[in-house]
Every structure is written in structure tokens, then in C-alpha cells.
């Protein structure tokens, strides 16, 4: 033991020299500019817009409230609809399902184990049996363990069965994008991975007015849908209403040769 201690002490200066920061590697991390650390949602301002003219009665609400209202409408109109995911029974991390368990019961709004693959796989099974399955992945960054379920099962189920079966009643909601101090595991935008998968629709609203209508359209769409909710817009307020938007359409605000 004494000999081992002498060896360690003799090697320690060499180890420290080998692990020292080399001048060629640039400045130390703590001396880097902090501009990126100061960036926030103010760098991408949100401009509310009026809902469609024929949308009916409107109410001012945040995007979170619009999502919750859409879930409420879906569950009220469809008695087979269930909402499940990590902590959704308690209202969810971003409070999008607050009060739904009290209103519709623990058999329709319930928590799941911390397993994204299991959540989506369970949703596929429910949807195949005709249940309207509304799954929540707590953060989009963690959806990748369910990649195989989404891409090779949900998206291809109709095709591989010759249109005999499908899991169209499946909608997977998940918050995406950067906000606050989410760092690398709570700030990712994953739409690029899934937007090119035949059989899977990817939807992302730009504000409350679209969020409720697009969510209801996604839930009622005959195909599985990945519904992405930008976290930076969760507290953005705007007008929302009871209407069903048409999924698969984009909205052109201004023609331009540049992309900003």
C-alpha cells in the first residue's frame, strides 16, 4: 500500500500537466463572453394575431390555457379520449392538464412510468383498439427513446397491415425549444427528425389562436400526430376560440426572398 501511494504521488504532477488547458485550445470557459447566457425569449418577440373571422366566440388566454381548453373539449366530446404521461394527473410540468383528472376521473387522466418508449407504445396499443390516445412526453428532448415506436410502428402500421388497422387516434404532445435555463437536455427542437416520416404528421402552433384548433384537429385526424408546443410561447397571451383548424396547411404572412 505504501509503495502504491508513492507511485500515485510521483505520477500526480504528470497527470496535472497533461490535463492542464493548452493555450491552443482557446480561452478558459469561464472567460468566454456571456452573451448567449443572457439570451431569452425577448430575442424572438411574439406578435399576437386575431383568430379566423368565422371562429365564433373568442376568449383571451395563454398558449398553455389554449392547450388545456383543447384537451378539455376533446375529452368532453369523446368519451374514449384519455390523457396520459409523466405527471399529467398533477397538471403536468407546464400546467397544461390542471383539473382534468378531477373533472374526468383517474381512469381517463393518469400518470405513467418514466419511459418514453413505453408511453408511446402504450398509446399505439390504445389507438389500435379505437381509443383516442393523447400522450404527453414531458420534454421533446427525451422523445428519442420512442423513435422506433413512432417511426417504425405508429407511422407504418396502416401501410404494413394493408389499411386493415391503424393507430390514427394517437396524438403525442410534447413541449419543445429553448427557454430559460433548460440547457442541452431541455432546449431541443426535434421536428426535423420526424417531419420527413411518411405516415406521421408533425404539427407546431405559433400561438394560442392556432394551438387550440390545431390540437383538436390533430386529435381527430385519422393519422398519428406529433404535436409540438414551443415552450417560449407558453405564457404568450392571445385570442383562442372553439374551432377545428385544418391540419396539413401552413399560413403565409408575407412573401419574401429571405428567411429570418
Amino acid at each position: 500500500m505504501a509503495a502504491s501511494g508513492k507511485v500515485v504521488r510521483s505520477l500526480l504532477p504528470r497527470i496535472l500537466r497533461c490535463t492542464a488547458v493548452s493555450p491552443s485550445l482557446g480561452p478558459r470557459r469561464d472567460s468566454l463572453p456571456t452573451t448567449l447566457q443572457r439570451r431569452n425569449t425577448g430575442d424572438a418577440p411574439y406578435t399576437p394575431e386575431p383568430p379566423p373571422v368565422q371562429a365564433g366566440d373568442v376568449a383571451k388566454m395563454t398558449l398553455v390555457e389554449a392547450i388545456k381548453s383543447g384537451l378539455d373539449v376533446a375529452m368532453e366530446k369523446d368519451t374514449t379520449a384519455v390523457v396520459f404521461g409523466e405527471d399529467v394527473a398533477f397538471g403536468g410540468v407546464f400546467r397544461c392538464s390542471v383539473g382534468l383528472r378531477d373533472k374526468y376521473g383517474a381512469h381517463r387522466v393518469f400518470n405513467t412510468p418514466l419511459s418514453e418508449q413505453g408511453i408511446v407504445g402504450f398509446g399505439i396499443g390504445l389507438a389500435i383498439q379505437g381509443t383516442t390516445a393523447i400522450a404527453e412526453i414531458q420534454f421533446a428532448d427525451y422523445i428519442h427513446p420512442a423513435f422506433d415506436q413512432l417511426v417504425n410502428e405508429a407511422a407504418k402500421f396502416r401501410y404494413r397491415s394493408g389499411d386493415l388497422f391503424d393507430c390514427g387516434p394517437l396524438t403525442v404532445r410534447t413541449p419543445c425549444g429553448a427557454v430559460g435555463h433548460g440547457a442541452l437536455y431541455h432546449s431541443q427542437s426535434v421536428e426535423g427528425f420526424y417531419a420527413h416520416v411518411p405516415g406521421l404528421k408533425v404539427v407546431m402552433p405559433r400561438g394560442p389562436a392556432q394551438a387550440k384548433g390545431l390540437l383538436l384537429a390533430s386529435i381527430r385526424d385519422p393519422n398519428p400526430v406529433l404535436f409540438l408546443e414551443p415552450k417560449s410561447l407558453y405564457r404568450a397571451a392571445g385570442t383562442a376560440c372553439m374551432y377545428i383548424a385544418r391540419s396539413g396547411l401552413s399560413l403565409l404572412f408575407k412573401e419574401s426572398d429571405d428567411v429570418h
Side-chain angles (χ1 to χ4, degrees), residues 89-167:
F90 311 136
V93 172
F94 295 100
R95 319 308 292 163
C96 290
S97 55
V98 171
L100 294 181
R101 181 179 65 170
D102 294 336
K103 184 174 182 179
Y104 296 104
H107 64 295
R108 296 185 64 191
V109 182
F110 50 88
N111 294 329
T112 64
L114 202 159
S115 171
E116 289 76 17
Q117 185 178 13
I119 292 171
V120 176
F122 177 70
I124 291 173
L126 286 177
I128 290 172
Q129 299 181 67
T131 300
T132 298
I134 309 171
E136 178 183 306
I137 302 297
Q138 199 167 83
F139 289 92
D141 313 60
Y142 297 106
I143 200 173
H144 302 308
F147 190 92
D148 182 63
Q149 294 289 339
L150 286 168
V151 174
N152 285 328
E153 302 297 337
K156 296 178 173 63
F157 209 89
R158 186 192 303 275
Y159 176 77
R160 70 187 264 194
S161 68
D163 204 21
L164 293 176
F165 307 101
D166 67 83
C167 54

Side-chain angles (χ1 to χ4, degrees), residues 189-209:
S189 297
V190 302
E191 60 273 10
F193 290 107
Y194 300 95
H196 308 284
V197 179
L200 179 67
K201 290 188 175 182
V202 178
V203 176
M204 182 186 296
R206 71 171 299 273

Side-chain angles (χ1 to χ4, degrees), residues 8 16 55 75 108 124 158 160 186 198 204 217 219 244 255:
V8 171
L16 293 176
M75 298 192 73
R108 296 185 64 191
I124 291 173
R158 186 192 303 275
R160 70 187 264 194
H186 297 82
M204 182 186 296
I219 293 171
I244 309 298
E255 292 186 2

